[in-house]
Amino acid sequence: MTPTQLRAFAATVRLGSVKAAAADLEVTEAAVSMHIAHLRKELGDRLFTRVASGLVFTPGGLRLASRAIEMLGLQDLTVREVSQAGSGRRLLRLAASSLFAEHAAPGLIDLFAGRADDLSVELSVHNAQRFAHLLVTRAVDAAIGPRPATLDESLSCTPFLNYQVIAVVGGAHPLAGRQASAAELQEQTWLLGPSAASRTGLVPSVLRRLGIPERNQRIYQSHAAAVEDAKRGGGLALAVSFSVGKDLAAGDLRQVAGPHLPARGSWHLLALAGQEAASTASELRRFVATPRATQAMLRGSGVTAGRFRPAVHVTLWT
């Protein structure tokens, strides 16, 4: 078995067809079929058969599917560890939801990476629904975003920061500073960041609970761009509260209250459980809940330890 053959089979299993696997791997369908044929011959198992509804996998094919993902992940990990050993540097590959990546990741990464001269952090933005797959296949070492609806036992989940999403408008907007009804909110133009395009997370949840029609949603390349348009009177934006504190204090933005607003959420760090976790992911898991890390995420990393005085918040949970 070669890595190329295993990669072709794993893509076929994941996507449900040879055609989709070929497109994903950017090769021809004939190449994918050839790799699978070699596996069938070597293992003495058909692995799967085609039926009208798709592919039906044999017990051996299902076993190979799980092993292929594990073997490819270990191969990538080995290559990376050898490269790091040769260069004398360590690498943390971090996946994040768009909301965390824009508002809290810069301060966290700057402070975390600055603690060690041999550490580099590579950040990529993904839909939170892909976190489990990215971790299991070892495409990333850790992921930060909303807690998954279902959590596989192979993954650990560490909550570390609560946050609040509020609705804001420009100072001259008719809804500025007042309580709005559900009907009024549904009629507004909503200026949204890329997190609104996901199916998971706090922002999509708020939009669903409010029943905001898609025709009234405008999605921008960044959450900051959506908020800037709201300042100019373009409509109503959803923003992380700590990111717009100065604009609210200056009167450039006004908060709008209403059903399901404000909304509260929390960010979680996901990694492989136990000894399977990368050492850099374990370091980040211990660091991310410290007061210094919290300060860096909320305000950036440019505050010295001597001037850091964390506020005390008491939350009652039922």
Side-chain angles (χ1 to χ4, degrees), residues 96-103 125-128 131 144 193-196 198 223:
S97 65
S98 60
L99 199 65
F100 180 84
E102 184 171 340
H103 293 302
V125 178
H126 297 273
N127 190 313
F131 283 174
I144 293 180
S195 61
S198 174
H223 300 89

Side-chain angles (χ1 to χ4, degrees), residues 10-32:
T12 302
V13 174
R14 176 166 53 88
L15 299 172
S17 74
V18 170
K19 181 178 181 179
D24 184 66
L25 297 173
E26 298 182 344
V27 298
T28 64
E29 292 182 45
V32 173

Side-chain angles (χ1 to χ4, degrees), residues 35 48 52 70 113 117 137 139 154 172 199 201 210 213 227 235 247 281 287 313:
H35 293 317
F48 64 83
E70 183 178 352
D117 293 334
T137 59
S154 65
R199 294 184 179 180
L210 290 172
V227 171
D247 292 318
F287 175 76
H313 300 274

